[in-house]
Amino acid sequence: HTREPGPGCFVLSASPDCNGFELESPGQSSHWQPVQDEPVVIGDLEPGAGPWTVETPWVRVKIAEVPRPSWAIEWGCDAKGLYALAPSPFGGVERLDWERPEPGGEASWPPASRGFSTSGVPVGNGCWLGADLQYGLYLDAPFGNATQRFRWIEPGEFVMGSPGGEPGRYDDEGPQHAVRLREGFWLAETACSQAVWEAVMGSNPARFLANPQNPIENVSWNDVQSFLRAVEKLVPGVWAVLPSEAEWEYACRAGSEEVFSWGSDITQVRANYNATERYVRGSIGEWQRQTLPVQSFSPNAWGLFQMHGNVWEWCADGKRAYDRVTQVSPQGPGRGDIHRVVRGGSWKSSPAQLRSACRSHRLQS
């Protein structure tokens, strides 16, 4: 059982029918820790201390500091327990109460600075706001029988563009420059699936129809604007927009300065690319090497899937010329511009086109 800890200490005492436990402390291997008549002090609970692993014949427990979630507007502990106040996409804040994480989950313990364990709470219009230990804050928005999950992307600063020596680099990716995003934003954790598009728009213009979880493709920037206006009608109170090019690269990198969000090398175990379109004779309407379902590969460090490959993704703005001056929430050309930026590469792109810094553009109509 546990007792109320003294200042800076966590005190553990054994049950009466046990005379000790296995203790693993930071930087030390596991060892047997006997329990005498007095409780055993296993360590100081100071910021960054731990974790400690305690194992008895009946239970294995890891004791660690839970850091304040970096997205939390406020957090604390009251009669109901540990809680955090989170930004709501409908404005204002929502209270999220800590819930014990499921045993054997994928997330490591202690959680990262984004981590907080809670199931979703209703926030209006059928949406649910929640948080997980691995990636942080999320919003689930239902569209018919389909649901789109969004991730909260916190404000921050990153280096945009690619260095001169990066393999496959294009001239418009430089010079590198610091970009500061002052406001956080919500971003869908996957490209829009055909299931979501059809639920919102009532039609499906995609070419690769093998799976409703394949991403929508074959849509223009203007088509996407019509989709976003339809979303706003279905979910009143939400302002639906595409990310700017700067926001897209910030989200894609997820804190990485490498060629790709995971590092410098790429294989088809990580992304869908470099495929040759071929029509299969005798199988009308069947295609080989095409788009794949939107969650086919592991997400990046912020929980976003397939930012590299599968389908090109539209951005809100046109291409701006880079310089070395620090930019604050930059926007490329917008009103009246007939070209818009696309990012990420596609199922038939070369690896160079999948790089985090790679830029391209298309006619918006």
Side-chain angles (χ1 to χ4, degrees):
H1 65 278
T2 56
R3 297 195 328 186
E4 185 71 21
C9 294
F10 186 93
V11 182
L12 181 82
S13 59
S15 300
D17 56 349
C18 178
N19 63 357
F21 53 89
E22 288 288 330
L23 173 63
E24 185 176 335
S25 300
Q28 301 179 20
S29 59
S30 178
H31 66 277
W32 177 255
Q33 174 66 57
V35 173
Q36 309 299 334
D37 294 336
E38 294 297 322
V40 175
V41 179
I42 64 172
D44 294 334
L45 285 185
E46 298 177 350
W52 301 273
T53 301
V54 174
E55 186 171 1
T56 75
W58 307 278
V59 68
R60 189 173 191 269
V61 176
K62 184 170 283 190
I63 302 169
E65 173 189 20
V66 177
R68 171 181 176 147
S70 51
W71 46 260
I73 298 170
E74 175 188 319
W75 89 321
C77 191
D78 58 18
K80 294 182 178 180
L82 187 64
Y83 70 90
L85 299 185
S88 169
F90 298 98
V93 297
E94 292 287 341
R95 174 175 170 136
L96 300 178
D97 291 299
W98 176 271
E99 295 179 3
R100 182 177 303 198
E102 292 292 330
E106 294 182 4
S108 61
W109 185 265
S113 62
R114 292 172 177 263
F116 190 83
S117 179
T118 181
S119 57
V121 297
V123 290
N125 299 312
C127 296
W128 290 76
L129 184 69
D132 57 49
L133 290 175
Q134 194 166 11
Y135 302 119
L137 202 60
Y138 66 81
L139 177 80
D140 285 339
F143 299 102
N145 293 325
T147 298
Q148 178 68 64
R149 174 163 287 190
F150 295 83
R151 290 287 176 182
W152 173 246
I153 308 299
E154 299 161 21
E157 186 170 319
F158 76 109
V159 176
M160 191 169 184
S162 62
E166 184 169 297
R169 180 182 189 269
Y170 297 99
D171 290 342
D172 63 358
E173 297 169 22
Q176 286 186 294
H177 56 287
V179 169
R180 186 176 303 119
L181 299 176
R182 287 180 171 172
E183 296 183 2
F185 56 97
W186 291 94
L187 188 64
E189 71 170 14
T190 67
C192 179
S193 69
Q194 295 176 30
V196 169
W197 184 279
E198 189 165 0
V200 173
M201 301 297 285
S203 62
N204 183 0
R207 185 173 49 168
F208 302 126
L209 302 174
N211 189 325
Q213 290 305 307
N214 284 356
I216 194 69
E217 27 80 19
N218 202 30
V219 293
S220 70
W221 188 90
N222 288 341
D223 292 335
V224 174
Q225 300 312 300
S226 298
F227 170 83
L228 296 174
R229 302 294 77 77
V231 166
E232 290 173 341
K233 292 179 180 178
L234 292 172
V235 190
V238 165
W239 182 38
V241 296
L242 289 168
S244 69
E245 184 183 15
E247 288 171 336
W248 190 96
E249 185 171 329
Y250 174 67
C252 173
R253 290 185 176 280
S256 169
E257 296 182 1
E258 298 287 343
V259 178
F260 306 99
S261 62
W262 57 75
S264 59
D265 297 324
I266 186 170
T267 70
Q268 291 181 327
V269 174
R270 290 191 177 273
N272 185 25
Y273 67 97
N274 232 9
T276 301
E277 184 178 340
R278 298 194 305 273
Y279 195 74
V280 182
R281 290 185 179 180
S283 302
I284 297 175
E286 184 179 348
W287 297 80
Q288 290 183 338
R289 300 305 300 270
Q290 56 183 36
T291 59
L292 296 175
V294 293
Q295 291 188 357
S296 293
F297 301 93
S298 298
N300 70 12
W302 292 353
L304 305 174
F305 290 84
Q306 295 198 80
M307 300 294 282
H308 305 281
N310 214 26
V311 286
W312 287 101
E313 299 183 1
W314 286 109
C315 294
D317 45 354
K319 289 177 70 174
R320 64 180 174 87
Y322 288 178
D323 57 38
R324 289 187 170 81
V325 178
T326 296
Q327 301 290 319
V328 178
S329 301
Q331 292 277 343
R335 188 181 300 274
D337 192 83
I338 62 172
H339 288 85
R340 302 286 173 162
V341 172
V342 290
R343 286 294 204 117
S346 76
W347 59 278
K348 58 181 180 179
S349 296
S350 67
Q353 293 174 305
L354 271 66
R355 294 173 303 108
S356 299
C358 182
R359 317 170 73 196
S360 190
H361 62 91
R362 303 284 188 275
L363 287 170
Q364 68 181 46
S365 59

